[in-house]
């Protein structure tokens, strides 16, 4: 009986996989036929998918991508630290901390609202314009703009996580004699961070794409490198090359996000059924 | 009824012929004698986007000395004047010329174009010919280096010294190519979205020197950044000289006519006259070698 049931289920799943594959193939073929038969296809193909141009532009785009990667690492660390600090400041209850709370709140309001490009302009063109001694390079200034902007997003994510931890947890920790700081450190934050890990990683994927905007201040990132290649040949293939590289770069992060989300979901279901 | 329609058609044809003849009158001495042969290059036959109208594209903002007041319609500025001269040569009255704003990337993307011709300091290269048509060249360009007066970069006198300078240029320009191919600096050059950003970076000291085409360099140093000077001009990159051409859609039916018009304008001295009028000061900057 049980074995027959298993066999039936297997047949059903094989069948659904086949149907899915079939319909995907039909849709894919239709799409390819439609695109390839459009009158402009040969020129679009030549302009966007020229293998020779792709190979030629690859080294320059990769060099640019290296800048994106380095910047991503530094900005991600900075933004996570800043976001966490701001979120903690916003959750401080005592009245003495009102100024700090107010400052943290207005910071998240301002920098979540301000377009990143404008923040970048202000940091990379405005600050050097002051001509102060010891002004850091535009790369550092642009990195700061990214950290400040993304720190605001991440702060809100962290705060949501902190507030989602049930007050009973906090009360229990305090009644055990832990201080506010100890409660945060050992009880609240571990749960909060785990809960908001998927949206945090999601923001990091967004940051990965936005680090390239620093190119408006002069540095050559992957997309700017592709733009330069495009300008010399009037062929858009380098953009496609950069796009593919960005997707490849994002895949590990996206995969980790999915895995973390799935693990969290599974754990919650177990907790629910236990 | 039939008769009156025929008469209307006849009147229409005559009106068209008169307009066409009037358009070409400065060049054609005896137009009525040979109407069929010189046919294709006039508004009646040219296959433009809007019939009997020449749609000209350029970027926004459009900069001096190529355009004046970001208003290509006013006919002022070298490229605006060239566009109207070409239009006139083809037989379009000034009010049959309309302007559209086309960003750089759109002008060179495959697919339908919103312009008949685009004039926007497009340098002619063989690679680019794979994507668009170019008219005959209407201007020979050289690139120049500018720096803030009194800065170390301002006293540079050789290419070798220039290699040590932190340079910048606008993206997509041959100025950038001049940096990588003629100067080959030791540090990676900075690349900006437009010349306004590049000028700001020069003023801020983020870059030490900026590479621009020579007429723009003159305009920037004389009218925009008072304490900047032209350090010198750069030799042409190896191979053919750098020249600006009008951009047309790949395989455009207008290309030959537009090229003929540009050639004629060069031969009869019109282009030289416009150059003298709008780009007069462009001379005398030392060539760095």
């Amino acid at each position: 009986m049980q074995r027959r049931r298993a066999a039936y289920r297997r047949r059903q799943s094989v069948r659904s996989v086949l149907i899915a594959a079939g319909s995907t193939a039909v849709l894919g073929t239709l799409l390819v036929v439609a695109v390839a038969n459009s009158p402009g296809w040969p020129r679009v193909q030549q302009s966007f998918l020229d293998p020779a141009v792709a190979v030629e532009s690859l080294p320059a785009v990769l060099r640019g991508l290296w800048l994106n990667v380095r910047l991503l690492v530094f900005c991600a660390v900075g933004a996570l630290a800043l976001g966490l600090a701001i979120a903690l400041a916003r959750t401080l209850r005592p009245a003495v901390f009102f100024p700090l709370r107010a400052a943290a709140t207005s910071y998240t309001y301002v920098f979540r609202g301000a377009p990143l490009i404008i923040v970048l302009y202000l940091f990379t063109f405005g600050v050097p314009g002051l001509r102060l001694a010891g002004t850091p390079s535009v790369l550092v200034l642009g990195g700061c703009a990214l950290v400040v902007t993304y720190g605001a997003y991440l702060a809100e994510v962290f705060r949501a996580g902190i507030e989602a931890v049930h007050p009973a947890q906090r009360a229990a920790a305090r009644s055990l004699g832990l201080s506010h700081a100890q409660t945060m450190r050992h009880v609240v934050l571990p749960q909060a961070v785990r809960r908001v890990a998927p949206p945090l990683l999601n923001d990091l994927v967004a940051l990965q794409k936005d680090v390239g905007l620093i190119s408006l201040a002069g540095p050559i990132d992957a997309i700017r490198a592709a733009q330069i290649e495009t300008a010399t040949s009037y062929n858009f293939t380098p953009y496609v090359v950069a796009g593919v590289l960005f997707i490849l770069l994002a895949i590990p992060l996206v995969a980790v996000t999915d895995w973390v989300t799935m693990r969290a979901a599974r754990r919650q279901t177990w907790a629910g059924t236990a | 009824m039939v008769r009156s329609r025929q008469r209307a058609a006849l009147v229409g044809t005559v009106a068209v012929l008169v307009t066409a003849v009037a358009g070409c009158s400065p060049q054609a001495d005896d137009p009525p004698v040979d109407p069929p042969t010189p046919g294709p290059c006039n508004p009646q036959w040219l296959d433009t986007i809007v019939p009997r109208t020449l749609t000209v594209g350029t970027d926004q903002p459009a900069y001096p000395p190529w355009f004046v007041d970001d208003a290509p319609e006013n006919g002022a500025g070298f490229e605006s004047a060239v566009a109207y001269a070409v239009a006139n040569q083809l037989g379009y009255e000034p009010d049959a010329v309309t302007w559209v704003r086309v960003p750089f990337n759109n002008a060179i993307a495959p697919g339908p174009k919103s312009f008949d011709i685009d004039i926007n300091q497009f340098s002619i290269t063989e690679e680019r010919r794979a994507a668009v048509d170019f008219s005959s060249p209407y201007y020979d360009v050289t690139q120049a280096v500018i720096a803030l007066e009194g800065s170390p970069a301002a006293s540079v006198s050789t290419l070798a010294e220039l290699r040590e300078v932190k340079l910048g240029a606008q993206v997509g320009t041959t100025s950038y190519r001049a940096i990588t191919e003629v100067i080959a600096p030791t540090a990676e050059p900075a690349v900006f979205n437009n010349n306004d950003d590049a000028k700001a970076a020069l003023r801020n000291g983020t870059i030490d020197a900026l590479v621009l085409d020579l007429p723009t360099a003159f305009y920037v140093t004389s009218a925009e950044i008072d304490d900047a000077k032209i350090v010198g001009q750069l030799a042409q990159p190896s191979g053919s000289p750098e020249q600006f051409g009008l951009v047309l859609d790949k395989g455009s039916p207008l290309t030959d006519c537009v090229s003929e018009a540009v050639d004629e304008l060069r031969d009869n001295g019109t282009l030289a006259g416009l150059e003298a009028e709008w780009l007069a000061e462009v001379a005398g900057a030392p060539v760095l070698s």
Side-chain angles (χ1 to χ4, degrees):
Chain A
M1 185 67 167
Q2 178 63 24
R3 224 181 280 161
R4 238 187 297 151
R5 235 184 240 155
Y8 175 73
R9 250 183 233 148
R10 209 165 33 237
R11 267 203 312 279
Q12 282 297 310
S13 68
V14 166
R15 206 174 138 237
S16 66
V17 166
L18 283 179
I19 291 176
S23 68
T24 312
V26 168
L27 190 67
T29 316
L30 279 179
L31 264 177
V32 167
V33 168
V35 171
N37 282 341
S38 60
W41 172 242
R43 270 195 67 193
V44 170
Q45 186 184 27
Q46 198 187 15
S47 292
F48 284 85
L49 303 167
D50 184 331
V53 176
V55 169
E56 206 175 303
S57 65
L58 190 61
V61 177
L62 273 179
R63 246 195 327 275
L65 195 69
W66 177 229
L67 175 77
N68 291 69
V69 171
R70 277 177 299 164
L71 211 54
L72 173 64
V73 170
F74 283 102
C75 291
V77 172
L80 283 170
L82 181 67
L84 186 58
I86 297 292
L88 289 176
R90 281 197 75 176
T91 50
L92 286 175
R93 291 281 157 257
V96 207
F97 295 120
F98 175 77
L100 192 61
R101 251 186 355 243
T105 308
S106 30
Y107 160 75
T108 55
Y109 271 72
V110 169
F111 284 99
R112 275 187 309 159
L116 175 57
I117 290 197
I118 291 173
V119 178
L120 268 169
Y121 254 111
L122 293 177
F123 272 68
T124 57
F125 286 97
V127 174
L130 300 173
R131 293 215 165 239
L132 300 171
T135 308
S137 73
V138 286
L139 210 54
V140 176
L141 290 168
C144 291
L146 284 158
V147 166
V148 164
T149 303
Y150 270 85
Y153 293 120
L154 295 180
E156 288 302 272
V157 175
F158 276 123
R159 189 170 69 100
I162 291 169
E163 286 175 357
V165 175
H166 200 278
Q169 297 274 331
R170 214 169 307 208
R174 294 309 291 272
S175 68
L176 282 174
L178 297 182
S179 69
H180 175 82
Q182 284 169 323
T183 308
M184 271 294 171
R185 159 103 180 67
H186 296 290
V187 178
V188 178
L189 279 183
Q191 301 184 59
V193 169
R194 200 170 298 157
R195 236 171 253 197
V196 297
L200 280 182
L201 288 167
N202 205 30
D203 275 344
L204 290 187
V205 175
L207 173 65
Q208 180 201 313
K209 289 175 286 188
D210 278 352
V211 289
L213 288 177
I214 202 175
S215 63
L216 71 83
I220 300 172
D221 85 312
I223 295 175
R224 184 49 67 92
Q227 194 181 4
I228 291 168
E229 296 291 315
T230 296
T232 53
S233 61
Y234 283 11
N235 188 303
F236 291 79
T237 309
Y239 282 130
V240 178
V241 171
V244 169
L245 289 178
F246 266 92
I247 294 171
L248 291 180
L249 196 62
I251 283 176
L253 255 180
V254 174
V256 168
T257 314
D258 285 350
W259 178 71
V260 169
T261 319
M262 213 163 65
R263 206 181 56 156
R266 212 179 306 145
R267 188 175 298 173
Q268 253 158 19
T269 351
W270 282 345
T273 51
Chain B
M1 188 64 206
V2 171
R3 211 181 227 186
S4 76
R5 205 187 294 156
Q6 275 177 340
R7 199 186 304 144
L10 189 66
V11 170
T13 317
V14 169
V16 164
L17 280 177
V18 168
T19 329
V21 165
C24 324
S25 53
Q27 282 76 40
D29 286 331
D30 45 357
V33 186
D34 50 349
T37 28
C41 290
N42 70 52
Q44 197 183 349
W45 299 107
L46 285 174
D47 184 14
T48 51
I49 291 172
V50 180
R52 290 167 197 285
T53 301
L54 192 65
T55 309
V56 188
T58 195
D59 206 347
Q60 183 155 32
Y63 291 97
W66 311 107
F67 296 91
V68 174
D69 298 333
D70 189 23
E73 307 79 16
N74 61 15
F78 180 67
E79 291 196 329
S80 179
V82 167
Y84 279 105
V86 169
N88 183 53
Q89 184 69 31
L90 290 169
Y92 292 93
E93 295 294 319
D95 55 6
V97 175
T98 53
W99 290 84
V100 286
R101 299 306 186 115
V102 187
F104 179 85
N105 269 347
N106 301 37
I108 60 174
K113 300 281 191 284
S114 57
F115 56 81
D116 294 316
I117 59 175
D118 193 317
I119 185 161
N120 192 19
Q121 301 126 64
F122 284 104
S123 298
I124 303 171
T125 69
E126 280 313 311
E127 290 162 300
R128 292 175 175 186
R129 267 189 214 282
V132 293
D133 277 3
F134 285 106
S135 72
S136 299
Y138 59 84
Y139 181 70
D140 293 353
V141 207
T142 54
Q143 300 291 330
V145 184
I146 69 171
L148 294 184
E149 215 122 26
S151 71
S155 57
V156 162
S157 58
T158 65
L159 267 187
E161 288 174 88
L162 205 54
R163 294 189 65 216
E164 307 302 321
V165 170
K166 174 79 178 154
L167 294 159
Q170 183 188 343
V171 68
T173 57
T174 33
S175 307
Y176 176 79
R177 259 185 68 206
I179 293 180
T180 53
E181 288 175 19
V182 181
I183 306 174
T186 48
E188 187 173 67
V191 179
F192 299 92
N193 285 343
N194 52 51
N195 272 337
D196 288 331
D197 287 359
K199 284 177 277 187
L202 180 66
R203 269 199 222 101
N204 286 344
T206 313
I207 53 173
D208 299 322
L210 177 58
V211 179
L212 301 158
D213 59 73
L214 191 55
T216 305
F218 266 99
Y219 183 79
V220 169
T221 50
S222 61
E224 294 192 317
I225 311 180
D226 292 339
D227 55 346
K229 63 170 267 195
I230 294 183
V231 179
Q233 43 178 318
L234 298 170
Q236 291 278 1
S238 54
S240 52
E242 185 184 345
Q243 296 174 311
F244 288 163
L246 296 152
V247 161
L248 297 96
D249 194 6
K250 181 81 186 152
S252 166
L254 275 62
T255 306
D256 291 338
C257 287
V258 172
S259 279
E260 262 175 45
V262 173
D263 289 340
E264 177 59 30
L265 290 172
R266 192 183 320 99
D267 294 344
N268 69 18
T270 309
L271 287 179
L274 293 177
E275 228 178 283
E277 184 178 355
W278 298 106
L279 311 173
E281 326 90 304
V282 181
V287 176
L288 299 171
S289 56

